[in-house]
Amino acid sequence: MYEGVVQDLIDELGRLPGVGPKSAQRIAFHLLAADPADVRRLVHALVEVKDKVRFCATCGNVAESEQCRICLDPRRDVAVICVVEESKDVVAIEKTREFRGRYHVLGGAISPIEGVGPDDLRIRELMTRLADGVVTELILATDPNLEGEATATYLARLCKPMGLRVTRLASGLPVGGDLEYADEVTLGRAFEGRRLLDV
Amino acid sequence: MSLLRDEGVVLRAQKLGEADRIITLLTRDHGIVRAVARGVRKTKSKFGARVEPFAHVDVQFFTRGSEFPGRGLPIITQAETLGAYGGRLALDYAAYTSGTAILETAERLTDHERGQPALQQYLLLIGALRTLAMGAHEPGLVLDAFLLRSLAVAGYAPSFVDCARCGLDGPNRFFSVQGGGTVCGDCRPAGSVVPSPETLSLLGALLTGDWGRADASEPRHRREGSGLVAAYLQWHLERGIRSLRLVERS
């Protein structure tokens, strides 16, 4: 145990995800040895993020105003919505530069074993967005795991009667991997989703 | 340090750190085992969908103790699929919600004897998942059949004909959760209910595996039966099954 504020700092850092007591101690001593200006910059960033960042009223993504940068961008296609579980997924898709539509962040996936049902996600907000008839395609980009697939099934069943084109991201073999290490489910999906080579 | 091999059904997968998961399995020889699957959340993971809930796998563990439970959690080093039920269940929302309630119940009924085999519960679980994935029966019926039979294996078999207290030959009209099932007029405790005879017949059919009778039942009797099964399960487990609340019934 250290004295006073040093121990307080270690305890606070230790509450962060993935930071154990040893890591917390290492970060605390790094901060003690760091330049005061660097520490002040970190403190400023922490305070700013809590003060300024909120969730977009339209899509649920992290934003610095009422709406996020993507929802405010007039160049984005309003007819296509890509549904993701978390804001982190928006960043991952944006990095591809393949998608020019808008997003909807659910805030998780349906997981009955964790007590998370459809009412705990932003599904009602999605239905409200789809009600005006502007959106023509819904891309379901939930995680390719069991909860993500079940959430996609639930949403597809809910949205298809609205006359929308409902699509799901393809799943199959990762680029750069070896075929022999692919599990049966992934390999099966890759066969289902095989495409014609147009050469 | 040793390598152990067993087969099991994945009941639960919880996120751990950056890219790992803690996998809870009901294994054939070692009962409930919690183990770490390293890097499983990365797209290039060698495990892929093999350690997702509902997967029936042949699995190898690396333990730091000589036997389960070792020092710290064992690490999954290899997994081969014996039956992949998750893919099919995720495409049918009602089957998925019933399946998660089956997994949660299996964990709750076997968790108190960690490291000890629970072969009957294990075989019952595989049978239930296989039936659910085949889609031969309504998912809610498969769930209720599993709940009744797993309670029976755990020593809490309810009676749906004879009086659970004095053994008076049935059929008996009254049903008491704390009384152990149907009870006669003389034995009925306060709070007993009077379900319809068709509901009691359905529950008896589910307990004994008479699928012909169960499939022919009416939705209102299935609804009443599920309520009785859920109350009976909750009474014996003391805590409710979280996923039961989210099961989609027809």
Side-chain angles (χ1 to χ4, degrees):
Chain A
M1 287 286 278
Y2 295 91
E3 288 194 10
V5 286
V6 177
Q7 188 59 45
D8 290 347
L9 178 61
I10 293 171
D11 291 344
E12 288 304 316
L13 290 168
R15 288 167 59 188
L16 297 174
V19 180
K22 278 280 176 200
S23 306
Q25 186 179 305
R26 203 168 57 243
I27 298 167
F29 277 93
H30 170 80
L31 292 173
L32 274 178
D35 188 61
D38 290 343
V39 177
R40 245 176 253 121
R41 217 168 33 247
L42 175 66
V43 170
H44 180 68
L46 287 171
V47 173
E48 285 272 286
V49 85
K50 272 318 274 181
D51 285 349
K52 285 189 178 169
V53 176
R54 61 191 86 175
F55 294 103
C56 172
T58 307
C59 72
N61 192 9
V62 285
E64 287 192 25
S65 58
E66 184 71 15
Q67 284 192 307
C68 72
R69 169 180 64 78
I70 296 170
C71 287
L72 288 172
D73 187 347
R75 291 167 301 173
R76 307 290 297 219
D77 187 356
V78 290
V80 188
I81 288 183
C82 178
V83 180
V84 295
E85 291 183 17
E86 308 283 352
S87 297
K88 292 178 282 188
D89 304 327
V90 173
V91 177
I93 295 173
E94 282 296 284
K95 276 185 192 166
T96 66
R97 296 174 183 271
E98 290 281 336
F99 179 64
R100 298 303 305 160
R102 296 190 175 178
Y103 293 93
H104 190 85
V105 182
L106 291 174
I110 297 172
S111 176
I113 212 158
E114 306 291 338
V116 181
D119 294 343
D120 302 306
L121 305 175
R122 298 184 72 254
I123 293 177
R124 204 173 293 119
E125 288 85 344
L126 176 65
M127 292 298 118
T128 311
R129 283 181 79 180
L130 299 178
D132 59 9
V134 175
V135 178
T136 55
E137 183 178 355
L138 196 66
I139 302 172
L140 301 174
T142 48
D143 288 348
N145 55 27
L146 190 79
E147 285 89 5
E149 293 292 345
T151 308
T153 303
Y154 181 85
L155 289 175
R157 201 182 60 176
L158 211 60
C159 300
K160 271 199 174 158
M162 299 169 92
L164 293 172
R165 180 168 182 251
V166 181
T167 56
R168 175 90 175 109
L169 285 193
S171 46
L173 298 169
V175 178
D178 285 6
L179 194 77
E180 65 167 310
Y181 290 111
D183 69 283
E184 295 76 6
V185 177
T186 307
L187 201 50
R189 291 269 179 84
F191 264 97
E192 273 173 25
R194 68 188 186 276
R195 63 189 169 85
L196 197 66
L197 271 183
D198 194 15
V199 287
Chain B
M1 293 190 190
S2 60
L3 287 172
L4 285 171
R5 191 170 164 184
D6 204 343
E7 61 177 72
V9 175
V10 178
L11 303 179
R12 192 188 283 262
Q14 293 154 289
K15 286 181 182 176
L16 174 72
E18 280 286 308
D20 308 338
R21 277 203 176 110
I22 297 176
I23 308 293
T24 306
L25 298 113
L26 177 58
T27 61
R28 177 184 272 271
D29 298 330
H30 298 89
I32 290 278
V33 173
R34 287 198 170 83
V36 175
R38 286 199 173 148
V40 70
R41 282 154 63 199
K42 291 181 181 169
T43 49
K44 284 190 189 172
S45 162
K46 62 179 176 180
F47 295 119
R50 289 189 187 111
V51 288
E52 287 262 276
F54 300 113
H56 180 205
V57 283
D58 181 350
V59 63
Q60 183 174 272
F61 304 97
F62 169 75
T63 65
R64 276 160 281 188
S66 57
E67 188 59 65
F68 297 122
R71 216 159 33 88
L73 290 175
I75 291 163
I76 297 176
T77 53
Q78 285 180 39
E80 284 294 322
T81 306
L82 298 174
Y85 306 116
R88 271 167 281 169
L89 294 181
L91 297 175
D92 178 349
Y93 188 70
Y96 167 72
T97 52
S98 291
T100 47
I102 287 175
L103 296 184
E104 194 180 348
T105 308
E107 184 181 357
R108 289 283 290 282
L109 283 170
T110 50
D111 197 28
H112 57 285
E113 293 176 297
R114 202 173 294 178
Q116 297 298 312
L119 187 61
Q120 274 186 289
Q121 292 283 8
Y122 172 74
L123 296 174
L124 199 60
L125 175 63
I126 290 178
L129 294 183
R130 197 172 288 153
T131 310
L132 203 59
M134 273 163 38
H137 308 286
E138 200 259 304
L141 288 179
V142 179
L143 168 63
D144 288 339
F146 173 81
L147 297 180
L148 289 172
R149 289 189 219 172
S150 59
L151 279 166
V153 168
Y156 306 122
S159 169
F160 293 117
V161 182
D162 300 339
C163 175
R165 288 201 161 171
C166 69
L168 180 73
D169 288 346
N172 287 290
R173 284 176 59 214
F174 302 99
F175 185 91
S176 164
V177 166
Q178 59 271 46
T182 48
V183 281
C184 66
D186 294 335
C187 296
R188 68 178 172 129
S192 301
V193 291
V194 185
S196 73
E198 291 86 352
T199 302
L200 292 176
S201 164
L202 165 66
L203 294 177
L206 291 174
L207 184 60
T208 54
D210 182 351
W211 282 107
R213 196 147 48 105
D215 287 335
S217 61
E218 288 180 34
R220 62 195 167 112
H221 299 133
R222 293 180 187 182
R223 270 196 302 277
E224 189 178 33
S226 328
L228 294 179
V229 173
Y232 194 77
L233 180 75
Q234 180 147 354
W235 171 263
H236 287 289
L237 290 181
E238 292 176 357
R239 270 192 303 142
I241 296 287
R242 275 209 286 196
S243 34
L244 266 186
R245 181 177 64 86
L246 296 165
V247 169
E248 190 178 69
R249 305 263 184 189
S250 59

